[in-house]
Amino acid sequence: MFPRPSPRSCDTFVALPPAAAGGRVVFGKNSDRPADEVQEIVHVPAAAHPPGAALECTYIKIEQVEKTHAVVLSRPSWLWGAEMGANEHGVCIGNEAVWGREEICDDEALLGMDLVRLGLERADTAEKALTVIVDLLEKYGQGGNCMESHMAFTYHNSFLIADRKEAWVLETSGKYWAAEKVEGGVRNISNQLSITTKIDREHPELKEYAKSKGWWDGEKEFDFAATYSYVNTARMTTSRGRYCEGYKLLNKHKGSITPEIMMEILRDKESGINMEGGFMTTGSMVSVLPQQPNLPCIHFFTGTPDPARSVFKPFIFVPNITQLLKTSSPTFGHDDPVKKQPRFQNKPDRRHELYKKHESAAVVMETIEGQGKEMLKEIQQLEKQKISEMESILQNGCLDINQMVNLFSQCVDEELKIYS
């Protein structure tokens, strides 16, 4: 079997103190997906569930748990899971498509994006989220089409999971997996296995399975990425590629990484991190997680393609949050082509209000020089203002709950006003 061509989609980053400024953890992700796919921002409140309840994920039903945490998600609007998101306890997760030696199962199971949401809904720390994901992986497996199309697009998954105190990388190959606790301040993942010899947790049969397949002789030091994929791990951080470029950008700013620096990294087009073309950056997220438990975690989402022409809008978990109507896509219930067999026979219009207005505004920014520059300047000023307001909250520890209820929605309204 020949190695697949290098895929091009998604980058996820984390910086821990002292690499991150101000004693905070900074998390970021670009979601790179088909250019016409709509990404929505949704808030799902915490909930209690009756014993024996079933949960319908994108393709399969699984057992529901007794209690789920409140989550905010950036997700392709046709599926149940999420590309990235956070929960009320300050846990953040982003996933990546990865390929390797292990055959990919086309059978419908849990998508990696379902596992992102399940980890957020069921765990209050990063390591507990890791445990939730690997337990579900063992029980239900991963598989199914990851694109809203009759053409199959399938992959294994890697995850970057962070909370206020620590971060973990979890990488999978079928049901097998390895996990690495992040040391050294910064870490990024892209579309390749990247855990080498530092393995802090692993599937109990990880090494034996590799030996049975002839991938590892049992003698030399076990290197997960080298064994389970075609990656030359000796050249991972020196070869030209998005993983390497992300690694270099993180290390360039090590010691002073702020949410603004993370946004700058996500906007970088030269590195390919801000992707353009048939697969492009369709949504972006940056979170700041203060180590002090009395300070709120702040999560910024674009909900629109191309972070260089989008606004990172802040979200803070408080009770009774206003519904995020203008970044929520229309729903189609049982008539949704995703739910019907055979699936994906047509594609409904899933654009939400912000997406539609941003789509028109992007054309102006691209083609009408004077008006486009002015519009770009205005959205940059709006973002700068919001970042400044959030920094004041983190510095002063003062949170007006009544204002926070509408924080994200109000910023969307201000963005829409610029586009109008």
Side-chain angles (χ1 to χ4, degrees), residues 39-76:
Q39 199 137 153
E40 61 178 344
I41 311 300
V42 294
H43 167 251
V44 184
H49 307 280
L55 170 64
E56 190 170 342
C57 299
T58 303
Y59 295 128
I60 65 168
K61 285 185 179 179
I62 67 170
E63 291 174 39
Q64 181 58 285
V65 291
E66 189 179 320
K67 182 181 182 297
T68 49
H69 306 305
V71 296
V72 60
L73 308 170
S74 185
R75 69 177 187 187

Side-chain angles (χ1 to χ4, degrees), residues 279-300:
F279 256 59
M280 71 175 294
T281 300
T282 56
S284 303
M285 168 186 177
V286 168
S287 291
V288 55
L289 315 173
Q291 293 188 306
Q292 304 94 309
N294 61 308
L295 295 176
C297 295
I298 302 172
H299 312 285
F300 296 86

Side-chain angles (χ1 to χ4, degrees), residues 175-196:
K175 73 171 187 174
Y176 301 98
W177 56 271
E180 172 195 334
K181 189 176 180 182
V182 175
E183 312 282 357
V186 295
R187 187 68 158 84
N188 62 304
I189 58 172
S190 196
N191 298 113
Q192 61 186 61
L193 297 181
S194 62
I195 295 174
T196 57

Side-chain angles (χ1 to χ4, degrees), residues 368-385:
I368 306 175
E369 190 175 348
Q371 189 183 348
K373 274 187 179 175
E374 184 58 34
M375 189 178 280
L376 185 60
K377 185 179 170 185
E378 284 188 58
I379 64 171
Q380 288 169 343
Q381 286 173 339
L382 172 62
E383 180 182 279
K384 196 172 179 182
Q385 175 198 331

